Amino acid sequence: MHRVAVYHVNDVEILHIYMRSGMVNIRVNANAGSSCESPNEYGIAHFLEHLMFKGTEKRNAKEIRRDAARIGGKLNAWTSFDHTVFHITALSEEFEMAFELLSDLFLNPVFPKEEIEKEKIVVLDEMRRSQDRPQSILYQKTSGKFWSHNIDHRILGTRENVEEMGREEIIKWRSGYYSGKNIQVAVAGEITEKQVREVAGRCFFTTNMAGKVTYPEVAFTGGNDDFYKKGILATYFLMAYPALPRAHDDHVRQRVMTHVLGGGGSSLLFEQIREEMGLVYGIHAGILNTDAFNTLIIGTSSKPDNIHLIERIMRGIIEKLCSSPVSEDRLIMAKASMLSTIRMIAESPVGMNSLVSLGYLKGDSVNMYKRLSQEIPEVTRDDVLTIAEETFKQKPYVGRLWPE
């Protein structure tokens, strides 16, 4: 069992999830990511995320890492399209030290010039490694193809931008987004509200400088693109459709329908294309939700001779999903699979914080764990049919990466 409370300390929103655990997870969620960037800034949100760990007014980068290790802490961060997360998981008895450490690196970075230049090498190497993964290459090549304004451009940015980023530019971008109403602190673990209020009151402050993040209206465009790369043996495939936003009344129904289609070992795509025909190693359908855009993506890979056959079978499965109800047993399997997954995630403070905090950051004021737990069992076969018809009525975008 868990309890969720939202309150403010020093004008900062605190999301507090009380749950039994010997560990505590603390997150600083910033309501800004790569979709906030202009073309000459592509990559700055991700680069800034790296630099936040490179020293503060009281700790250098090595001291940050060692102070975390002394309390059993695991520090990490990631950048998404519409948010960036900085978090630490530590022993519950070390909550105060963990909160102070995370607050220090988030509020007081100094961005030493030598660390900026050194971290450019690291990020550029990250880009090179992504070029060794065909799935990443396909997504990079299709970015901006099906959503307008290039809103879904590559989070890592461009080599040219990263090489040219300077300290003043980084500080300006951080000041414009990492403050005010764009910041939320989320705590999950066996920590009392009194503890959270006392420690947050001493450690975490922000300004009201940053304005609310907004995104342009974007349009989805169906299409068909083929790309080629030397040195690969398989062909990589994706099919994309526009999806519903998190706040939509039918969001959970669409997630269940997507799971029925391609969410696991008992899904329609996996059973027919993998198990019955042996055409692929893996095939998956999932939904990516952001403030800027929402996409349902189906992805797989196979030997080149199989791809057009797989695509025909896939379209046939989707057509059937839109024309007749799935069996009751298949729906039961999908719903049970989804419920077991979210319950396993929610067993840990890290997972519970991930499930719950983002919705509150985005202003939904909905406990997504509770919403999923309540609405998934209520989805019917007719719901799946109706939402499939609505989802797949638009022409998809299809991208393929072939061996050259």
Side-chain angles (χ1 to χ4, degrees):
M1 296 296 292
H2 70 281
R3 298 192 304 271
V4 176
V6 180
Y7 43 87
H8 288 78
V9 178
N10 298 330
D11 291 326
V12 178
E13 181 179 279
I14 307 291
L15 176 74
H16 181 197
I17 307 169
Y18 182 86
M19 59 185 292
R20 297 285 186 180
S21 178
M23 304 297 290
V24 61
N25 177 254
I26 309 162
R27 293 168 56 135
V28 179
N29 295 318
N31 189 34
S34 62
S35 290
C36 299
E37 300 164 344
S38 57
N40 65 334
E41 295 173 330
Y42 286 174
I44 194 169
H46 173 257
F47 191 41
L48 171 60
E49 172 223 307
H50 277 239
L51 295 174
M52 297 284 277
F53 292 85
K54 296 305 175 182
T56 72
E57 296 171 1
K58 62 186 290 188
R59 295 177 172 94
N60 60 32
K62 180 184 287 187
E63 290 168 334
I64 289 173
R65 295 192 301 272
R66 291 190 171 187
D67 281 354
R70 290 187 184 98
I71 59 173
K74 306 295 186 290
L75 273 170
N76 212 336
W78 70 83
T79 304
S80 185
F81 295 100
D82 66 338
H83 65 279
T84 308
V85 176
F86 302 85
H87 71 104
I88 185 169
T89 304
L91 300 168
S92 292
E93 59 267 30
E94 302 290 355
F95 165 69
E96 184 172 347
M97 180 61 187
F99 195 106
E100 187 277 329
L101 175 59
L102 187 65
S103 299
D104 184 38
L105 73 85
F106 185 81
L107 297 175
N108 306 306
V110 292
F111 304 120
K113 290 187 177 180
E114 64 275 14
E115 291 287 355
I116 292 175
E117 295 308 310
K118 187 163 56 177
E119 202 61 20
K120 287 181 180 180
I121 298 173
V122 173
V123 172
L124 292 174
D125 182 62
E126 188 176 356
M127 289 183 179
R128 282 190 290 271
R129 287 189 293 114
S130 74
Q131 291 299 312
D132 288 335
R133 298 191 295 269
Q135 297 95 330
S136 297
I137 296 170
L138 178 58
Y139 192 81
Q140 291 161 23
K141 288 183 177 294
T142 57
S143 294
K145 294 283 187 178
F146 45 90
W147 286 111
S148 58
H149 298 286
N150 206 23
I151 199 79
D152 57 338
H153 64 265
R154 186 186 186 194
I155 291 173
L156 294 180
T158 66
R159 172 179 294 275
E160 295 75 19
N161 281 0
V162 171
E163 288 176 339
E164 294 176 5
M165 283 177 191
R167 185 172 183 272
E168 293 73 21
E169 181 183 2
I170 292 161
I171 291 172
K172 180 180 178 181
W173 202 90
R174 174 182 175 273
S175 298
Y177 291 105
Y178 280 17
S179 60
K181 303 303 181 183
N182 286 329
I183 301 302
Q184 174 204 70
V185 176
V187 177
E190 198 168 348
I191 309 297
T192 67
E193 181 174 333
K194 180 180 178 181
Q195 288 176 283
V196 176
R197 286 185 179 274
E198 287 179 352
V199 175
R202 290 198 308 270
C203 297
F204 207 94
F205 303 83
T206 187
T207 69
N208 291 317
M209 182 184 303
K212 183 180 178 180
V213 174
T214 59
Y215 300 96
E217 289 189 15
V218 294
F220 183 91
T221 304
N224 207 312
D225 284 307
D226 292 287
F227 308 97
Y228 299 88
K229 177 176 171 56
K230 293 180 179 179
I232 62 173
L233 300 177
T235 296
Y236 293 79
F237 174 93
L238 72 79
M239 181 182 289
Y241 292 86
L244 299 172
R246 282 181 295 259
H248 196 283
D249 289 345
D250 287 330
H251 168 69
V252 176
R253 294 181 185 88
Q254 189 176 62
R255 286 181 67 165
V256 173
M257 180 276 295
T258 303
H259 201 87
V260 168
L261 175 64
S266 62
S267 69
L268 294 165
L269 293 174
F270 191 89
E271 282 195 346
Q272 185 167 345
I273 297 176
R274 159 66 193 264
E275 292 299 298
E276 294 177 15
M277 304 189 71
L279 294 174
V280 300
Y281 175 76
I283 186 166
H284 180 76
I287 293 175
L288 172 63
N289 290 118
T290 79
D291 277 357
F293 59 92
N294 301 277
T295 316
L296 189 158
I297 298 179
I298 304 166
T300 192
S301 63
S302 186
K303 66 177 184 179
D305 292 347
N306 287 343
I307 288 297
H308 291 304
L309 172 61
I310 292 168
E311 185 176 347
R312 287 196 301 273
I313 297 169
M314 187 183 299
R315 289 178 184 271
I317 292 171
I318 291 173
E319 184 177 340
K320 186 175 180 181
L321 186 61
C322 295
S323 60
S324 59
V326 296
S327 70
E328 187 65 33
D329 188 50
R330 188 173 296 282
L331 181 58
I332 288 171
M333 290 187 292
K335 293 194 291 187
S337 174
M338 293 179 71
L339 288 171
S340 67
T341 297
I342 66 169
R343 288 181 189 177
M344 284 189 287
I345 292 171
E347 285 291 317
S348 73
V350 176
M352 185 61 85
N353 223 347
S354 297
L355 277 171
V356 175
S357 64
L358 183 59
Y360 283 87
L361 175 70
K362 298 303 181 180
D364 296 344
S365 298
V366 173
N367 182 334
M368 185 54 76
Y369 174 76
K370 281 192 173 181
R371 182 183 178 190
L372 291 170
S373 298
Q374 291 168 358
E375 294 186 19
I376 287 173
E378 297 173 355
V379 176
T380 68
R381 297 165 64 208
D382 286 340
D383 289 334
V384 172
L385 176 61
T386 300
I387 202 68
E389 290 175 317
E390 184 65 25
T391 302
F392 298 118
K393 67 182 181 182
Q394 184 159 336
K395 179 183 177 182
Y397 173 85
V398 176
R400 309 172 195 85
L401 180 67
W402 301 88
E404 189 172 302

